[in-house]
Amino acid sequence: MEFVLEINTEEMPLPHVKAALQQLKRNFEDELVSQDLVDKKKRPGKIETFGTCRRLIVYGDLIACQRNKEEIIVGPPKSVAFAPDGSPSPAVMGFARSQGVKVDSLEVVSNKKGDYIAVKKIQKGRPAQDVLPQVVPDIINRLSFPKMMRWGTNDFKFSRPIRYVFCILDGKPLSFKVNGISTINFTTGHKLYFPASIKVKSFQEYRRQLKKNKVLIEEKTRKARIMNHIEKKLEPLEAQCYPDEKLLDKLATDVEYPYVFLGAFPKKYLKLPIEILSTAMREGQNLLSVVKGKKQLPVFLGVTDACNDAKGFVSKGNERVLKARLEDARFFWEQDSKIPLKERAENLSQIVFQERLGSYKEKSERIKKIALYLVSKLDAGKKKQEVREAAELCKADLLTEMVREFPSLQGKVGGIYARKEKYPLAVWKAIYEHYQPASLDDPSPASLTGAILAVCDKLDSIVGVLGLEIEISGSKDPFGLRRNAQGICSIVLDKKLDFPFPLLLDKVIKVYEDNLKKNRSELKEICLEFFKNRLEYIFSHLGFRYDLIKAVLSSGVDNIYNIFLKLKALDSLKDNLKFRTLILTAKRVNNILRGQPKYKVNQDLLIEKEERELYTTYSIIRDNVRPLFLSGDFSKAQRIVLTIGSSIDNFFDNVLVMAEDKRIKRNRLALLQQVSKLFSQIANYSEVVIEGEKD
Amino acid sequence: MSIQNLIMNLQKYWTDQGCYLAQSYDMEVGAGTMTPDTFFRVLDKKPWRVAYVQPSRRPTDGRYGENPHRVQKHFQYQVIIKPSPSDIQQLFIQSLATLGIDLKYHDLRFDEDNWESPTIGAWGVGWQVLLDGLEITQFTYFQQAGGIETFPVPVEITYGLERLEMFLEGKDDIYDLQWSDDVSYRDLRIEEEREFSEFNFNHADIKSLQKKFSLTSEEAGKLIEKNLLFPAYDMCLKSSHLFNLLDSRGAVGVTERVKKIAQIRNLVTKIAQKYTSREGSY
């Protein structure tokens, strides 16, 4: 039975639409499965959601009516139910009375404890049309958006004002109220061009009618249409659209029926770098840049909402607005060129980074010190000069008109200006890239110098802000510390930066001297804990199993890149049978050792053959894996460690650890401590969960 | 259609929608939102419909009359309706139609833009309205003003008159616009723009601005104590404009900026609290 729901609203931003569709799908599925209106087994695909900036749509293929449910109420045991003459006992009559049934209709059921008198009641399933009006309003009420608003005289909060709610079940209107808004029995086409009401009986018809009235409900279809039209427009030019997935996603949701138009701008603006051109086009007007090969063309693409621009007004209008923006950008470009970056960098003392943490001048001084330290830890001595130069200049663009106009271009503008001023490639690239990655999907800096600069800039902010005891909580992160920490971790993993993280942290804390509120050791602990949480988040985002993540992080954060390699080593072996056995053995070892003080192995006290053998195997393995640990080849190390398995098993089978002779007992514990230490160099195996294992 | 015809059209249209026609406020303000006809009236619980032209000054936007788009004084057409009617978007779209804009041939978009004014402790949710890529209007559901949750929720529609007129006349230069059939924007404004840009950027006396700022903000505080809220609010408006002038003179550091804005906001918030707690306003 078909269910169609449309919540029609004023224009919602893309992240709101995405968030709502996800919640609608999940909540409808959960609720309707629990209401017995969607078959669990056929669950996938039974609820579908669609959305535009003006509508959230839910389509479901539902069961028409809940099944009847049989309920058994158990009464007194059969043994006391009847008198010898077969007449019902008072207990049974009482039971029948309390259930409102006649004694005749009682039955006998058997369970573990024996036979009992019982009554079977049938709870009648309710039809979908009765259930839905009760559950749907609640699902809509529970929707949450990144930012919510009120309107009119309503206390209710939503993304944007709701215009109407349309709902049909099996072709018939379904009426209910959502916070005072009654459902209506029709939908409407495109708001500007086809506002008349449309009545439909099925989802197919709904989709078809809306398409006719300039609304394509599928995001995919709208996007494909945009791509297709772009291709057609660009074919004669033999040019391509400069890729911008984010903008395309936005456009595909911002419009209900896309048309693409092409416009041009005066060639003289081509002197501006492509980043600035494309930002000027994207921000404000949502226009796409066009390139031929790597060359920018003096044209742009735009997407309209259901308007085919028959008279060319849309394209002309956009050209006019864009020209004004580019003229501004050109003006800034020329103004900015008058003062070299170096001079600007001197003036950074005028801009405050954070009141207690000083100016951007001080920040870039700190970045320089930290970055030079990191260079020495990474054995990248050759990079010293360029790191120094880039660090000094990296914040200078904050004082340019261009960044004031296009804040999203910070860093990039500095890099472009440094390029213009003929700084070496490594220097301008590093400046250009040092805000990267802006999110988990954004790439890390490509150059090593850029990576070093980015890590140090971010770490400086994190330590400074945490050092001031500024609280970071669920929604409160004014300095984007979590994003910064994730950025650092991504860079370390992407660029394989192999260095002891706590040492770098010490350096950053030291560079702040005593300008922070928190004392040094406490601050270090807080920072390490903060990074541990971020690493957990990133690793699980990368798809690693949670227990493996915990296993490699259980001893805290040291060399971040090594932690990642260890995790990969564990992950590659997680289904290996030998590994699983080893984990169980390791857990056994750890259990025995729990609470024991540290002992030393005395070889002369190894009397049994199996313990001598274990010691020998252990020694060989230890010597073999040591260089592997140092070189970071944890996969190979892990495989070699695996070979200890049979020796331990033999040991446990034939040797009693808790021997009566205290000296021997301690010696055996010492041996196991050595083995356990070997394991812990990779991970805390006790954290690894083996399927079917009993706790 | 000249600017004055545009204004008359909007006046007619919004009075037909039941708006009271206010006259421009007689003080320097940065936006129509800041005048008492908006600021005080969105705070209480009573229905309110008002429309007016408000000259708006933004000293840092001065370009000596040389930039075809930026001016240090422009004209806003401000509409406030409380509670926001359910068909308000439709009403707005119709207002464009009455200006002779045939939407069949134009692309009208409501693009997310959540307005806020830290100085008066206000924020709202809404859009910038783009017509063929040109921002012609700011459309906002007020959620808070003077630090107070607004309820019923007012909607604000702010047309940028010059922008809209540039669209209607298809002109690239603001100074080429016709105010009336025989008076151009250039005739009326260019000398004023030149002189005020000079004043804003080079000649406004910093010391005297600073002195005046402390005088007006202190006086606002005293007037609040005496429950003279409208005069107190005027003093806040004066302070705000003085702050903007200091800013265009480059005399406000970053921390100083945060401090001064907070200073004005605290005063405005107090005024809002006192106003809403007055008997009868709720």
PDB file of all heavy atoms in Angstrom, chain A residues 592-602 605 615 657-658 662-675 677:
ATOM      1  N   ILE A 592      46.807 -13.713  34.074  1.00  0.00           N
ATOM      2  CA  ILE A 592      47.682 -14.283  35.095  1.00  0.00           C
ATOM      3  C   ILE A 592      48.549 -13.195  35.720  1.00  0.00           C
ATOM      4  O   ILE A 592      48.795 -13.182  36.925  1.00  0.00           O
ATOM      5  CB  ILE A 592      48.577 -15.380  34.472  1.00  0.00           C
ATOM      6  CG1 ILE A 592      47.705 -16.585  34.087  1.00  0.00           C
ATOM      7  CG2 ILE A 592      49.669 -15.804  35.451  1.00  0.00           C
ATOM      8  CD1 ILE A 592      48.450 -17.640  33.313  1.00  0.00           C
ATOM      9  N   LEU A 593      48.973 -12.275  34.871  1.00  0.00           N
ATOM     10  CA  LEU A 593      49.925 -11.268  35.346  1.00  0.00           C
ATOM     11  C   LEU A 593      49.271 -10.125  36.119  1.00  0.00           C
ATOM     12  O   LEU A 593      49.958  -9.334  36.746  1.00  0.00           O
ATOM     13  CB  LEU A 593      50.708 -10.684  34.160  1.00  0.00           C
ATOM     14  CG  LEU A 593      51.636 -11.667  33.440  1.00  0.00           C
ATOM     15  CD1 LEU A 593      52.275 -10.994  32.240  1.00  0.00           C
ATOM     16  CD2 LEU A 593      52.704 -12.185  34.398  1.00  0.00           C
ATOM     17  N   ARG A 594      47.948 -10.071  36.042  1.00  0.00           N
ATOM     18  CA  ARG A 594      47.272  -8.931  36.651  1.00  0.00           C
ATOM     19  C   ARG A 594      47.626  -8.800  38.128  1.00  0.00           C
ATOM     20  O   ARG A 594      47.546  -9.765  38.878  1.00  0.00           O
ATOM     21  CB  ARG A 594      45.753  -9.060  36.474  1.00  0.00           C
ATOM     22  CG  ARG A 594      45.025  -7.753  36.820  1.00  0.00           C
ATOM     23  CD  ARG A 594      43.588  -7.802  36.328  1.00  0.00           C
ATOM     24  NE  ARG A 594      43.530  -7.959  34.866  1.00  0.00           N
ATOM     25  CZ  ARG A 594      42.595  -8.668  34.246  1.00  0.00           C
ATOM     26  NH1 ARG A 594      41.672  -9.286  34.927  1.00  0.00           N
ATOM     27  NH2 ARG A 594      42.599  -8.746  32.935  1.00  0.00           N
ATOM     28  N   GLY A 595      48.041  -7.647  38.539  1.00  0.00           N
ATOM     29  CA  GLY A 595      48.329  -7.379  39.946  1.00  0.00           C
ATOM     30  C   GLY A 595      49.673  -7.901  40.422  1.00  0.00           C
ATOM     31  O   GLY A 595      50.020  -7.735  41.588  1.00  0.00           O
ATOM     32  N   GLN A 596      50.452  -8.511  39.530  1.00  0.00           N
ATOM     33  CA  GLN A 596      51.757  -9.049  39.959  1.00  0.00           C
ATOM     34  C   GLN A 596      52.821  -7.963  39.878  1.00  0.00           C
ATOM     35  O   GLN A 596      52.828  -7.173  38.944  1.00  0.00           O
ATOM     36  CB  GLN A 596      52.173 -10.205  39.031  1.00  0.00           C
ATOM     37  CG  GLN A 596      51.271 -11.423  39.100  1.00  0.00           C
ATOM     38  CD  GLN A 596      51.443 -12.201  40.401  1.00  0.00           C
ATOM     39  OE1 GLN A 596      52.373 -11.939  41.192  1.00  0.00           O
ATOM     40  NE2 GLN A 596      50.536 -13.133  40.659  1.00  0.00           N
ATOM     41  N   PRO A 597      53.706  -7.952  40.870  1.00  0.00           N
ATOM     42  CA  PRO A 597      54.835  -7.010  40.760  1.00  0.00           C
ATOM     43  C   PRO A 597      55.802  -7.480  39.670  1.00  0.00           C
ATOM     44  O   PRO A 597      55.682  -8.591  39.166  1.00  0.00           O
ATOM     45  CB  PRO A 597      55.484  -7.091  42.138  1.00  0.00           C
ATOM     46  CG  PRO A 597      55.048  -8.377  42.724  1.00  0.00           C
ATOM     47  CD  PRO A 597      53.730  -8.742  42.092  1.00  0.00           C
ATOM     48  N   LYS A 598      56.739  -6.629  39.341  1.00  0.00           N
ATOM     49  CA  LYS A 598      57.675  -6.958  38.262  1.00  0.00           C
ATOM     50  C   LYS A 598      58.778  -7.900  38.755  1.00  0.00           C
ATOM     51  O   LYS A 598      59.344  -7.694  39.829  1.00  0.00           O
ATOM     52  CB  LYS A 598      58.312  -5.673  37.746  1.00  0.00           C
ATOM     53  CG  LYS A 598      57.804  -5.292  36.362  1.00  0.00           C
ATOM     54  CD  LYS A 598      58.485  -4.048  35.846  1.00  0.00           C
ATOM     55  CE  LYS A 598      59.248  -4.262  34.573  1.00  0.00           C
ATOM     56  NZ  LYS A 598      58.599  -4.923  33.497  1.00  0.00           N
ATOM     57  N   TYR A 599      59.033  -8.935  37.969  1.00  0.00           N
ATOM     58  CA  TYR A 599      60.123  -9.864  38.306  1.00  0.00           C
ATOM     59  C   TYR A 599      61.116  -9.910  37.175  1.00  0.00           C
ATOM     60  O   TYR A 599      60.829  -9.475  36.062  1.00  0.00           O
ATOM     61  CB  TYR A 599      59.575 -11.271  38.559  1.00  0.00           C
ATOM     62  CG  TYR A 599      58.574 -11.328  39.682  1.00  0.00           C
ATOM     63  CD1 TYR A 599      57.243 -11.621  39.435  1.00  0.00           C
ATOM     64  CD2 TYR A 599      58.979 -11.080  41.007  1.00  0.00           C
ATOM     65  CE1 TYR A 599      56.314 -11.663  40.467  1.00  0.00           C
ATOM     66  CE2 TYR A 599      58.056 -11.129  42.047  1.00  0.00           C
ATOM     67  CZ  TYR A 599      56.734 -11.416  41.768  1.00  0.00           C
ATOM     68  OH  TYR A 599      55.832 -11.472  42.786  1.00  0.00           O
ATOM     69  N   LYS A 600      62.293 -10.533  37.508  1.00  0.00           N
ATOM     70  CA  LYS A 600      63.339 -10.662  36.493  1.00  0.00           C
ATOM     71  C   LYS A 600      63.550 -12.128  36.154  1.00  0.00           C
ATOM     72  O   LYS A 600      63.493 -12.990  37.031  1.00  0.00           O
ATOM     73  CB  LYS A 600      64.651 -10.072  37.020  1.00  0.00           C
ATOM     74  CG  LYS A 600      64.975  -8.720  36.404  1.00  0.00           C
ATOM     75  CD  LYS A 600      66.358  -8.292  36.814  1.00  0.00           C
ATOM     76  CE  LYS A 600      67.111  -7.728  35.626  1.00  0.00           C
ATOM     77  NZ  LYS A 600      68.341  -7.071  36.037  1.00  0.00           N
ATOM     78  N   VAL A 601      63.829 -12.412  34.898  1.00  0.00           N
ATOM     79  CA  VAL A 601      64.066 -13.805  34.500  1.00  0.00           C
ATOM     80  C   VAL A 601      65.491 -14.217  34.883  1.00  0.00           C
ATOM     81  O   VAL A 601      66.445 -13.497  34.608  1.00  0.00           O
ATOM     82  CB  VAL A 601      63.885 -13.986  32.983  1.00  0.00           C
ATOM     83  CG1 VAL A 601      64.183 -15.426  32.580  1.00  0.00           C
ATOM     84  CG2 VAL A 601      62.490 -13.576  32.559  1.00  0.00           C
ATOM     85  N   ASN A 602      65.551 -15.377  35.539  1.00  0.00           N
ATOM     86  CA  ASN A 602      66.850 -15.977  35.823  1.00  0.00           C
ATOM     87  C   ASN A 602      66.929 -17.267  35.016  1.00  0.00           C
ATOM     88  O   ASN A 602      66.214 -18.235  35.295  1.00  0.00           O
ATOM     89  CB  ASN A 602      66.952 -16.250  37.324  1.00  0.00           C
ATOM     90  CG  ASN A 602      68.255 -16.939  37.664  1.00  0.00           C
ATOM     91  OD1 ASN A 602      69.017 -17.364  36.774  1.00  0.00           O
ATOM     92  ND2 ASN A 602      68.538 -17.065  38.958  1.00  0.00           N
ATOM     93  N   LEU A 605      67.009 -20.768  36.449  1.00  0.00           N
ATOM     94  CA  LEU A 605      65.825 -21.320  37.106  1.00  0.00           C
ATOM     95  C   LEU A 605      64.799 -21.864  36.129  1.00  0.00           C
ATOM     96  O   LEU A 605      63.736 -22.318  36.519  1.00  0.00           O
ATOM     97  CB  LEU A 605      65.184 -20.251  37.991  1.00  0.00           C
ATOM     98  CG  LEU A 605      65.954 -19.879  39.255  1.00  0.00           C
ATOM     99  CD1 LEU A 605      65.297 -18.724  39.965  1.00  0.00           C
ATOM    100  CD2 LEU A 605      66.074 -21.089  40.179  1.00  0.00           C
ATOM    101  N   TYR A 615      61.452 -19.548  26.393  1.00  0.00           N
ATOM    102  CA  TYR A 615      62.399 -18.454  26.563  1.00  0.00           C
ATOM    103  C   TYR A 615      63.251 -18.272  25.307  1.00  0.00           C
ATOM    104  O   TYR A 615      63.479 -17.146  24.850  1.00  0.00           O
ATOM    105  CB  TYR A 615      63.296 -18.687  27.789  1.00  0.00           C
ATOM    106  CG  TYR A 615      64.185 -17.490  28.060  1.00  0.00           C
ATOM    107  CD1 TYR A 615      63.647 -16.320  28.593  1.00  0.00           C
ATOM    108  CD2 TYR A 615      65.541 -17.518  27.733  1.00  0.00           C
ATOM    109  CE1 TYR A 615      64.435 -15.202  28.811  1.00  0.00           C
ATOM    110  CE2 TYR A 615      66.346 -16.395  27.940  1.00  0.00           C
ATOM    111  CZ  TYR A 615      65.789 -15.247  28.485  1.00  0.00           C
ATOM    112  OH  TYR A 615      66.572 -14.141  28.689  1.00  0.00           O
ATOM    113  N   VAL A 657      52.453 -22.528  36.250  1.00  0.00           N
ATOM    114  CA  VAL A 657      53.060 -21.230  36.532  1.00  0.00           C
ATOM    115  C   VAL A 657      53.158 -21.002  38.035  1.00  0.00           C
ATOM    116  O   VAL A 657      54.190 -20.627  38.569  1.00  0.00           O
ATOM    117  CB  VAL A 657      52.241 -20.085  35.880  1.00  0.00           C
ATOM    118  CG1 VAL A 657      52.892 -18.741  36.179  1.00  0.00           C
ATOM    119  CG2 VAL A 657      52.127 -20.312  34.378  1.00  0.00           C
ATOM    120  N   MET A 658      52.036 -21.251  38.700  1.00  0.00           N
ATOM    121  CA  MET A 658      51.997 -20.969  40.132  1.00  0.00           C
ATOM    122  C   MET A 658      52.626 -22.127  40.915  1.00  0.00           C
ATOM    123  O   MET A 658      51.964 -22.793  41.725  1.00  0.00           O
ATOM    124  CB  MET A 658      50.543 -20.746  40.571  1.00  0.00           C
ATOM    125  CG  MET A 658      49.886 -19.570  39.869  1.00  0.00           C
ATOM    126  SD  MET A 658      50.792 -18.048  40.194  1.00  0.00           S
ATOM    127  CE  MET A 658      49.872 -16.884  39.200  1.00  0.00           C
ATOM    128  N   LYS A 662      58.523 -20.595  45.488  1.00  0.00           N
ATOM    129  CA  LYS A 662      58.277 -19.199  45.159  1.00  0.00           C
ATOM    130  C   LYS A 662      59.227 -18.671  44.101  1.00  0.00           C
ATOM    131  O   LYS A 662      58.856 -17.881  43.238  1.00  0.00           O
ATOM    132  CB  LYS A 662      58.409 -18.334  46.430  1.00  0.00           C
ATOM    133  CG  LYS A 662      57.068 -18.079  47.096  1.00  0.00           C
ATOM    134  CD  LYS A 662      57.202 -17.020  48.164  1.00  0.00           C
ATOM    135  CE  LYS A 662      55.891 -16.917  48.938  1.00  0.00           C
ATOM    136  NZ  LYS A 662      56.105 -16.332  50.254  1.00  0.00           N
ATOM    137  N   ARG A 663      60.481 -19.122  44.178  1.00  0.00           N
ATOM    138  CA  ARG A 663      61.469 -18.591  43.244  1.00  0.00           C
ATOM    139  C   ARG A 663      61.134 -19.011  41.817  1.00  0.00           C
ATOM    140  O   ARG A 663      61.216 -18.251  40.873  1.00  0.00           O
ATOM    141  CB  ARG A 663      62.873 -19.091  43.610  1.00  0.00           C
ATOM    142  CG  ARG A 663      63.425 -18.352  44.852  1.00  0.00           C
ATOM    143  CD  ARG A 663      64.881 -18.655  45.012  1.00  0.00           C
ATOM    144  NE  ARG A 663      65.138 -20.076  44.821  1.00  0.00           N
ATOM    145  CZ  ARG A 663      66.322 -20.577  44.450  1.00  0.00           C
ATOM    146  NH1 ARG A 663      67.326 -19.774  44.217  1.00  0.00           N
ATOM    147  NH2 ARG A 663      66.484 -21.879  44.301  1.00  0.00           N
ATOM    148  N   ILE A 664      60.709 -20.261  41.713  1.00  0.00           N
ATOM    149  CA  ILE A 664      60.366 -20.781  40.388  1.00  0.00           C
ATOM    150  C   ILE A 664      59.106 -20.102  39.861  1.00  0.00           C
ATOM    151  O   ILE A 664      59.012 -19.695  38.707  1.00  0.00           O
ATOM    152  CB  ILE A 664      60.209 -22.306  40.443  1.00  0.00           C
ATOM    153  CG1 ILE A 664      61.599 -22.881  40.727  1.00  0.00           C
ATOM    154  CG2 ILE A 664      59.609 -22.846  39.165  1.00  0.00           C
ATOM    155  CD1 ILE A 664      61.715 -24.359  40.637  1.00  0.00           C
ATOM    156  N   LYS A 665      58.127 -19.929  40.751  1.00  0.00           N
ATOM    157  CA  LYS A 665      56.883 -19.263  40.363  1.00  0.00           C
ATOM    158  C   LYS A 665      57.190 -17.847  39.848  1.00  0.00           C
ATOM    159  O   LYS A 665      56.724 -17.427  38.783  1.00  0.00           O
ATOM    160  CB  LYS A 665      55.952 -19.189  41.577  1.00  0.00           C
ATOM    161  CG  LYS A 665      54.699 -18.369  41.351  1.00  0.00           C
ATOM    162  CD  LYS A 665      53.834 -18.368  42.589  1.00  0.00           C
ATOM    163  CE  LYS A 665      53.175 -17.018  42.787  1.00  0.00           C
ATOM    164  NZ  LYS A 665      52.530 -16.892  44.087  1.00  0.00           N
ATOM    165  N   ARG A 666      58.025 -17.122  40.600  1.00  0.00           N
ATOM    166  CA  ARG A 666      58.348 -15.757  40.189  1.00  0.00           C
ATOM    167  C   ARG A 666      59.099 -15.720  38.874  1.00  0.00           C
ATOM    168  O   ARG A 666      58.898 -14.838  38.043  1.00  0.00           O
ATOM    169  CB  ARG A 666      59.188 -15.069  41.269  1.00  0.00           C
ATOM    170  CG  ARG A 666      58.326 -14.677  42.451  1.00  0.00           C
ATOM    171  CD  ARG A 666      59.170 -14.093  43.537  1.00  0.00           C
ATOM    172  NE  ARG A 666      58.330 -13.796  44.690  1.00  0.00           N
ATOM    173  CZ  ARG A 666      58.799 -13.478  45.895  1.00  0.00           C
ATOM    174  NH1 ARG A 666      60.101 -13.406  46.088  1.00  0.00           N
ATOM    175  NH2 ARG A 666      57.973 -13.225  46.881  1.00  0.00           N
ATOM    176  N   ASN A 667      59.943 -16.728  38.690  1.00  0.00           N
ATOM    177  CA  ASN A 667      60.715 -16.775  37.448  1.00  0.00           C
ATOM    178  C   ASN A 667      59.791 -17.009  36.248  1.00  0.00           C
ATOM    179  O   ASN A 667      59.966 -16.432  35.174  1.00  0.00           O
ATOM    180  CB  ASN A 667      61.774 -17.868  37.543  1.00  0.00           C
ATOM    181  CG  ASN A 667      62.895 -17.608  36.549  1.00  0.00           C
ATOM    182  OD1 ASN A 667      63.394 -16.482  36.461  1.00  0.00           O
ATOM    183  ND2 ASN A 667      63.254 -18.636  35.791  1.00  0.00           N
ATOM    184  N   ARG A 668      58.786 -17.870  36.466  1.00  0.00           N
ATOM    185  CA  ARG A 668      57.846 -18.132  35.363  1.00  0.00           C
ATOM    186  C   ARG A 668      56.996 -16.896  35.063  1.00  0.00           C
ATOM    187  O   ARG A 668      56.714 -16.581  33.915  1.00  0.00           O
ATOM    188  CB  ARG A 668      56.964 -19.329  35.706  1.00  0.00           C
ATOM    189  CG  ARG A 668      57.774 -20.608  35.627  1.00  0.00           C
ATOM    190  CD  ARG A 668      57.031 -21.851  36.011  1.00  0.00           C
ATOM    191  NE  ARG A 668      57.968 -22.965  35.917  1.00  0.00           N
ATOM    192  CZ  ARG A 668      57.794 -24.142  36.517  1.00  0.00           C
ATOM    193  NH1 ARG A 668      56.709 -24.355  37.242  1.00  0.00           N
ATOM    194  NH2 ARG A 668      58.689 -25.088  36.376  1.00  0.00           N
ATOM    195  N   LEU A 669      56.608 -16.225  36.137  1.00  0.00           N
ATOM    196  CA  LEU A 669      55.844 -14.981  35.920  1.00  0.00           C
ATOM    197  C   LEU A 669      56.713 -13.980  35.160  1.00  0.00           C
ATOM    198  O   LEU A 669      56.237 -13.292  34.253  1.00  0.00           O
ATOM    199  CB  LEU A 669      55.409 -14.378  37.263  1.00  0.00           C
ATOM    200  CG  LEU A 669      54.257 -15.112  37.958  1.00  0.00           C
ATOM    201  CD1 LEU A 669      54.073 -14.597  39.387  1.00  0.00           C
ATOM    202  CD2 LEU A 669      52.956 -14.950  37.166  1.00  0.00           C
ATOM    203  N   ALA A 670      57.994 -13.928  35.525  1.00  0.00           N
ATOM    204  CA  ALA A 670      58.901 -13.002  34.850  1.00  0.00           C
ATOM    205  C   ALA A 670      58.973 -13.302  33.351  1.00  0.00           C
ATOM    206  O   ALA A 670      58.943 -12.400  32.508  1.00  0.00           O
ATOM    207  CB  ALA A 670      60.294 -13.077  35.468  1.00  0.00           C
ATOM    208  N   LEU A 671      59.025 -14.599  33.053  1.00  0.00           N
ATOM    209  CA  LEU A 671      59.073 -14.999  31.643  1.00  0.00           C
ATOM    210  C   LEU A 671      57.820 -14.508  30.907  1.00  0.00           C
ATOM    211  O   LEU A 671      57.891 -13.936  29.813  1.00  0.00           O
ATOM    212  CB  LEU A 671      59.193 -16.535  31.561  1.00  0.00           C
ATOM    213  CG  LEU A 671      59.102 -17.165  30.183  1.00  0.00           C
ATOM    214  CD1 LEU A 671      60.163 -16.589  29.243  1.00  0.00           C
ATOM    215  CD2 LEU A 671      59.275 -18.684  30.285  1.00  0.00           C
ATOM    216  N   LEU A 672      56.669 -14.716  31.546  1.00  0.00           N
ATOM    217  CA  LEU A 672      55.418 -14.272  30.898  1.00  0.00           C
ATOM    218  C   LEU A 672      55.377 -12.755  30.776  1.00  0.00           C
ATOM    219  O   LEU A 672      54.844 -12.205  29.806  1.00  0.00           O
ATOM    220  CB  LEU A 672      54.210 -14.781  31.695  1.00  0.00           C
ATOM    221  CG  LEU A 672      53.956 -16.288  31.598  1.00  0.00           C
ATOM    222  CD1 LEU A 672      52.750 -16.658  32.436  1.00  0.00           C
ATOM    223  CD2 LEU A 672      53.748 -16.727  30.143  1.00  0.00           C
ATOM    224  N   GLN A 673      55.958 -12.074  31.757  1.00  0.00           N
ATOM    225  CA  GLN A 673      55.981 -10.603  31.669  1.00  0.00           C
ATOM    226  C   GLN A 673      56.780 -10.153  30.444  1.00  0.00           C
ATOM    227  O   GLN A 673      56.392  -9.211  29.756  1.00  0.00           O
ATOM    228  CB  GLN A 673      56.579 -10.004  32.954  1.00  0.00           C
ATOM    229  CG  GLN A 673      55.578  -9.981  34.098  1.00  0.00           C
ATOM    230  CD  GLN A 673      56.203  -9.612  35.434  1.00  0.00           C
ATOM    231  OE1 GLN A 673      57.433  -9.637  35.587  1.00  0.00           O
ATOM    232  NE2 GLN A 673      55.365  -9.298  36.414  1.00  0.00           N
ATOM    233  N   GLN A 674      57.861 -10.848  30.193  1.00  0.00           N
ATOM    234  CA  GLN A 674      58.667 -10.511  29.012  1.00  0.00           C
ATOM    235  C   GLN A 674      57.828 -10.683  27.743  1.00  0.00           C
ATOM    236  O   GLN A 674      57.817  -9.847  26.848  1.00  0.00           O
ATOM    237  CB  GLN A 674      59.896 -11.437  28.916  1.00  0.00           C
ATOM    238  CG  GLN A 674      60.909 -11.241  30.035  1.00  0.00           C
ATOM    239  CD  GLN A 674      61.700  -9.958  29.864  1.00  0.00           C
ATOM    240  OE1 GLN A 674      61.947  -9.537  28.756  1.00  0.00           O
ATOM    241  NE2 GLN A 674      62.065  -9.332  30.970  1.00  0.00           N
ATOM    242  N   VAL A 675      57.131 -11.832  27.692  1.00  0.00           N
ATOM    243  CA  VAL A 675      56.319 -12.126  26.511  1.00  0.00           C
ATOM    244  C   VAL A 675      55.228 -11.056  26.347  1.00  0.00           C
ATOM    245  O   VAL A 675      55.008 -10.528  25.252  1.00  0.00           O
ATOM    246  CB  VAL A 675      55.680 -13.525  26.649  1.00  0.00           C
ATOM    247  CG1 VAL A 675      54.669 -13.762  25.538  1.00  0.00           C
ATOM    248  CG2 VAL A 675      56.765 -14.596  26.631  1.00  0.00           C
ATOM    249  N   LYS A 677      55.246  -8.059  27.383  1.00  0.00           N
ATOM    250  CA  LYS A 677      55.837  -6.788  26.988  1.00  0.00           C
ATOM    251  C   LYS A 677      56.059  -6.765  25.473  1.00  0.00           C
ATOM    252  O   LYS A 677      55.844  -5.754  24.806  1.00  0.00           O
ATOM    253  CB  LYS A 677      57.164  -6.600  27.728  1.00  0.00           C
ATOM    254  CG  LYS A 677      57.618  -5.154  27.770  1.00  0.00           C
ATOM    255  CD  LYS A 677      58.888  -5.004  28.593  1.00  0.00           C
ATOM    256  CE  LYS A 677      59.809  -3.993  27.942  1.00  0.00           C
ATOM    257  NZ  LYS A 677      61.211  -4.196  28.346  1.00  0.00           N
TER     258      LYS A 677
END
